[in-house]
Amino acid sequence: MDTLLHAVQTINFYLSDYILVILLVGTGIFFSIRTRFVQVRCFGQGMRQVFGGFSLRGGRQKGGLSSFQALTTAIAAQVGTGNIIGACGAILVGGPGAIFWMWIIAFFGMATIYAEAVLAQETRVVQPDGSVAGGPVYYIKRAFRGKLGSFLAGFFAVAITLALGFIGCMVQSNSIGSTCSTAFGIPAWVIGLVVAAASAFVFLGGIQRVASVTEKLVPIMAILYLVGGLVLLILRLPYLPETVGMIFKYAFFPQAIIGGGLGYALKTAISQGVKRGLFSNEAGMGSTPHAHAMAKVASPHEQGIVAMVGVFIDTFLVLTMTALVVISTLYAGGGPLAGGAAQGIDKTNMAQLAFSSVFGTGVGRAFVALCLLFFAFSTILSWNFFGKLNVAWLFGEKATRVYSALAVVFIFLGSCLSNDLVWELSDLFNQLMVIPNALALLALAPLVAAAAKAGKK
């Protein structure tokens, strides 16, 4: 196990520190330019599209989803452990400055996810029964004809099934089990049984049940977490200037807090921002296009700008709230992590310690556990659905029953098993998904540019 862990960590090191930095940032910059910074030009239009008349009861759609249901299904996938435990891990390893690089990734990622949603709409397939199928495997095959396209699409489908359908759900259920066990004293395996049973119930209802749950759960869980964080920040108001200053200072001079030389420390801060930023907002990873493909909209551009709002909510609101809470309590004002990592504090308990320092141990732990339960459970639902679509594409619809049964088992096991290997494997397959997805996006850039031009001149 140690040998395997070392091998996976080595691969992840080169992927996150070199390949993904170039590929993700490069793709985001490229699409920002090709779309004339659609994330700036059309941001207001996207907000109006999302919040102009949304409802928590979108109803059952006859084939596909409403635009808002597609967004909440996508946000359910984006807002998970990455926004709490992932963000804490990035801060702990890369320093507070890692958050700055997460913001950079998210800003350019808004253009990337616009491209993903547009192409998902452009290449989706409506079946004879009215159901809709779409996602990266469809636009990958559009971008690359013949055997190359089939290989890249198949590679993506296998990677996303492993990354999200199995290993990713283990990460999510593990986070639920560990935080709820700490907060409420309930054994993690009991929590795992409940989460697995609830997941199985939703899986059986198909995409309509997933959408019905996420359209209600996502707005409620986001508001709950943001309000709780805002109350804490008000109580820590004197430390906010120092908190914000640390994010910008340690983005460029992180060696003062994480040790090592400037070059090593800076590379660590940037790589943590990229890796955890990807795990959080999923822009460029190829997961959320499955949801956006199913949206019933007038044009691909409409769902593209809606998808951008998802990244904004995920990173600039929810993840940033985690960062401000953790840094203002554990770093600012001579906190326990002001001089760097401290014994007994890790990524799994940082958020609970942060909230507990202001609200008290019982309330703080319970609040984080409750929010993480909502976040991670909704992510499990969306990720399972994304994996299911790719299993159906690979092996046919009948294979999805076996996939769903295995997924439930992995969800339960994830709540009981906790080790670095699971997180590293999750990172590995998440990062491998990016490569064929980003290549296809770049190859089909003219379609994206045309949609952005036609959408709003």
Side-chain angles (χ1 to χ4, degrees), residues 224-244:
L224 173 66
Y225 187 68
L226 292 175
V227 169
L230 186 60
V231 171
L232 184 145
L233 293 181
I234 291 173
L235 296 175
R236 297 287 293 179
L237 193 60
Y239 298 98
L240 277 186
E242 182 184 356
T243 297
V244 176

Side-chain angles (χ1 to χ4, degrees), residues 16-17 21 25 94 97-98 101-102 105 251 254 265-275:
S16 62
D17 285 30
V21 169
V25 177
W101 299 110
M102 282 186 172
I105 284 292
L266 186 59
K267 184 175 68 174
T268 301
I270 294 174
S271 67
Q272 284 296 312
V274 171
K275 182 165 64 175

Side-chain angles (χ1 to χ4, degrees), residues 1 10 71 219 226 231 233 250-251 324-325 343 388 426 428 449 454:
M1 293 294 287
T10 302
L71 175 65
L226 292 175
V231 171
L233 293 181
Y250 293 127
L324 294 176
V325 165
Q343 189 174 5
K388 183 178 180 179
S426 179
L428 173 63

Side-chain angles (χ1 to χ4, degrees), residues 25-295:
V25 177
T27 301
I29 293 173
F30 174 78
F31 278 111
S32 294
I33 295 172
R34 284 300 304 265
T35 61
R36 294 182 294 130
F37 286 88
V38 67
Q39 67 267 55
V40 178
R41 291 189 303 110
C42 299
F43 180 74
Q45 183 185 0
M47 294 293 282
R48 290 191 296 273
Q49 185 80 10
V50 172
F51 298 108
F54 80 91
S55 170
L56 299 183
R57 298 181 61 85
R60 188 178 182 87
Q61 305 295 314
K62 295 181 179 179
L65 304 173
S66 70
S67 180
F68 184 71
Q69 286 175 329
L71 175 65
T72 55
T73 302
I75 292 178
Q78 294 166 310
V79 179
T81 59
N83 295 79
I84 299 180
I85 294 179
C88 290
I91 296 170
L92 189 64
V93 177
I99 300 301
F100 173 83
W101 299 110
M102 282 186 172
W103 291 341
I104 297 298
I105 284 292
F107 174 76
F108 291 115
M110 289 173 72
T112 303
I113 209 165
Y114 172 86
E116 290 181 297
V118 165
L119 293 178
Q121 281 281 319
E122 292 277 7
T123 59
R124 72 181 195 155
V125 175
V126 180
Q127 308 290 358
D129 62 357
S131 61
V132 178
V137 291
Y138 293 90
Y139 59 69
I140 289 172
K141 293 202 71 174
R142 169 80 71 88
F144 305 104
R145 304 289 184 179
K147 293 183 179 179
L148 177 60
S150 296
F151 169 76
L152 290 176
F155 179 86
F156 175 88
V158 171
I160 192 173
T161 301
L162 293 174
L164 305 188
F166 297 136
I167 300 173
C169 286
M170 288 184 72
V171 170
Q172 301 293 333
S173 63
N174 177 260
S175 299
I176 294 173
S178 62
T179 55
C180 287
S181 178
T182 300
F184 307 117
I186 304 173
W189 68 268
V190 175
I191 300 294
L193 277 178
V194 174
V195 173
S199 299
F201 171 75
V202 180
F203 295 166
L204 291 173
I207 181 54
Q208 292 296 337
R209 187 172 294 173
V210 171
S212 178
V213 172
T214 59
E215 72 177 344
K216 300 172 182 63
L217 189 59
V218 168
I220 294 172
M221 72 183 190
I223 292 172
L224 173 66
Y225 187 68
L226 292 175
V227 169
L230 186 60
V231 171
L232 184 145
L233 293 181
I234 291 173
L235 296 175
R236 297 287 293 179
L237 193 60
Y239 298 98
L240 277 186
E242 182 184 356
T243 297
V244 176
M246 292 176 82
I247 292 175
F248 287 94
K249 174 186 176 181
Y250 293 127
F252 301 97
F253 303 100
Q255 79 280 9
I257 198 167
I258 65 176
L262 175 60
Y264 166 80
L266 186 59
K267 184 175 68 174
T268 301
I270 294 174
S271 67
Q272 284 296 312
V274 171
K275 182 165 64 175
R276 294 306 171 195
L278 168 65
F279 187 76
S280 174
N281 65 54
E282 301 186 22
M285 198 166 80
S287 54
T288 58
H290 297 91
H292 294 302
M294 305 189 75

